[in-house]
Amino acid sequence: MSKRTDTLRSLFTRAPTPVLSADNMRAEPRRVAAGPVRSMQETFSDVERENESLRARLENAEQVVDVDPALIDPSPFADRFAQEDDPSFEALKQSIAERGQEIPVLLREHVAAPGRYQTAFGHRRIRAARLLGRSVKAIVRALSDDELVVAQGVENAAREDLSFIERAVFALRLEASGRSRTIIQQALAIDRAEASKLISVARAVPEELVRAIGKAPKIGRGRWQELAEALQDKTAIKRARAATDGPAFARAEADERFLRVLKAAKRTDENGTPAPSVIAINDARGQAVAEIRATTRDVKVRLAKPDGAAFARFLAGRLPELIEAFHASGDVENVPKDL
């Protein structure tokens, strides 16, 4: 039995998921004095009584029913990226075909379409049942939006293949829908600091770039933060978008697509030096007359022919005056040091 299956089986009786964070440190074990032992035993007894009460309510009030998959819509809060080539889904579909659906999905009645349902968790099992032409074994529960996303997060916690960017986008979607940071933390089993980092990265990387790259399972938080920082420059965003064009990019694996976008955004040569930013200069008719290439070391002006030489002499005579005027303007923070 897989870890994910065990987790879902114990969904209704498990203790609250511990808060996780990449920055958390494991707490040192604490010694318990003899005095509080009786109090602890009473606490454990209270917890067990609550669990027994919960089991009884579930047995009496929540029955597994068969639902036509054509009546089931996905969650209004998407938590994963579409993936056409998914070997794990094919294995799940084969398992359901051979042994049936072992774990029921969790649904709620559709808030806007009577007679239909929305999925809290079990999207892949529903998809498999639909393809196999089978009904879906489900528990239908009255859930608010907050309760739905928290229940959805239980399945996320049991999945081991959700990438960093999938979690980040899910967190941002929850916040955009009006969910509180507390609900986001519960849905993703993280602390407040980790939630802030996820949302910050998802905000910084344009949605179309995220879609073009995909889930990038081997790319962690550090590399995504590196991309987010590089995309603070508008010209870097243009370069990154241009890198996603063409069939070669589409054929590459998601991790490779990420690296291509990062390289374009940072635009470095083989020595790791940032490539120059390029400014095209056009005349009143829209024709190119010059090109300026600027780095932290120097600024180069390339003039178009046929009057390039004449204009070069004219510019050379005016350049000292232009530099003086630029320094006098007070906007000198980006002036190349060589000037």
Side-chain angles (χ1 to χ4, degrees):
M1 190 70 65
S2 68
K3 172 186 174 183
R4 180 166 175 266
T5 300
D6 290 340
T7 302
L8 292 177
R9 281 189 182 281
S10 62
L11 170 64
F12 302 110
T13 57
R14 62 180 293 177
T17 305
V19 172
L20 303 177
S21 169
D23 303 322
N24 283 352
M25 299 294 291
R26 183 181 297 277
E28 295 183 0
R30 300 173 59 185
R31 296 183 179 180
V32 180
V37 169
R38 178 175 299 176
S39 176
M40 291 176 61
Q41 290 174 339
E42 292 175 353
T43 300
F44 291 150
S45 297
D46 290 341
V47 171
E48 181 58 29
R49 282 194 295 271
E50 290 177 1
N51 285 340
E52 290 177 357
S53 175
L54 177 59
R55 293 190 194 100
R57 290 198 304 270
L58 291 174
E59 290 174 358
N60 294 331
E62 295 188 327
Q63 301 296 326
V64 176
V65 296
D66 291 330
V67 179
D68 183 348
L71 299 176
I72 304 175
D73 295 323
S75 167
F77 311 101
D79 61 357
R80 69 191 69 181
F81 295 171
Q83 186 176 358
E84 295 181 2
D85 184 16
D86 186 357
S88 65
F89 171 74
E90 293 302 321
L92 172 65
K93 186 173 73 171
Q94 182 178 353
S95 173
I96 292 177
E98 294 175 354
R99 297 191 295 272
Q101 181 187 337
E102 298 179 343
I103 307 293
V105 304
L106 181 61
L107 309 176
R108 74 172 180 183
E109 293 184 357
H110 201 294
V111 295
R116 299 191 63 82
Y117 303 89
Q118 289 178 311
T119 309
F121 65 72
H123 291 80
R124 300 201 314 159
R125 275 164 280 162
I126 294 169
R127 179 185 167 200
R130 183 179 294 115
L131 292 173
L132 293 170
R134 297 186 175 192
S135 61
V136 176
K137 295 185 181 300
I139 291 174
V140 181
R141 182 188 298 176
L143 297 170
S144 67
D145 284 350
D146 285 353
E147 290 168 336
L148 183 142
V149 298
V150 171
Q152 193 170 329
V154 172
E155 185 179 38
N156 281 341
R159 286 170 59 93
E160 298 178 352
D161 61 342
L162 282 178
S163 66
F164 172 83
I165 195 62
E166 284 181 302
R167 291 163 58 81
V169 170
F170 182 43
L172 181 60
R173 285 172 178 166
L174 292 180
E175 183 171 75
S177 70
R179 310 279 73 77
S180 69
R181 283 294 175 94
T182 299
I183 293 299
I184 295 171
Q185 291 167 225
Q186 292 176 7
L188 288 166
I190 54 177
D191 64 14
R192 193 173 189 84
E194 189 72 6
S196 296
K197 292 170 185 175
L198 288 169
I199 293 172
S200 174
V201 169
R203 281 178 177 162
V205 182
E207 184 179 351
E208 67 269 22
L209 285 181
V210 173
R211 288 199 306 266
I213 292 170
K215 66 185 297 182
K218 296 181 182 178
I219 305 299
R221 184 179 72 193
R223 302 307 300 273
W224 278 104
Q225 286 179 321
E226 185 179 355
L227 177 59
E229 292 171 3
L231 293 176
Q232 298 300 312
D233 180 4
K234 292 182 179 180
T235 59
I237 294 178
K238 293 181 180 179
R239 293 195 302 267
R241 286 172 174 160
T244 65
D245 293 335
F249 181 87
R251 287 195 301 267
E253 296 290 335
D255 295 320
E256 174 61 25
R257 292 198 296 266
F258 172 89
L259 295 176
R260 292 186 185 189
V261 169
L262 177 62
K263 181 178 180 181
K266 297 180 69 174
R267 194 134 152 223
T268 59
D269 59 23
E270 57 260 2
N271 297 320
T273 303
S277 60
V278 180
I279 304 173
I281 308 298
N282 299 328
D283 62 15
R285 295 170 295 177
Q287 296 180 344
V289 295
E291 182 181 85
I292 301 176
R293 292 175 173 265
T295 69
T296 55
R297 293 194 299 263
D298 56 28
V299 176
K300 297 179 180 179
V301 180
R302 180 178 296 175
L303 302 174
K305 295 180 179 181
D307 56 352
F311 184 75
R313 290 192 295 272
F314 174 81
L315 180 61
R318 293 290 184 88
L319 194 57
E321 177 185 343
L322 291 173
I323 294 175
E324 289 287 343
F326 183 70
H327 280 276
S329 71
D331 187 13
V332 298
E333 59 184 34
N334 294 318
V335 175
K337 294 180 180 179
D338 291 349
L339 297 180

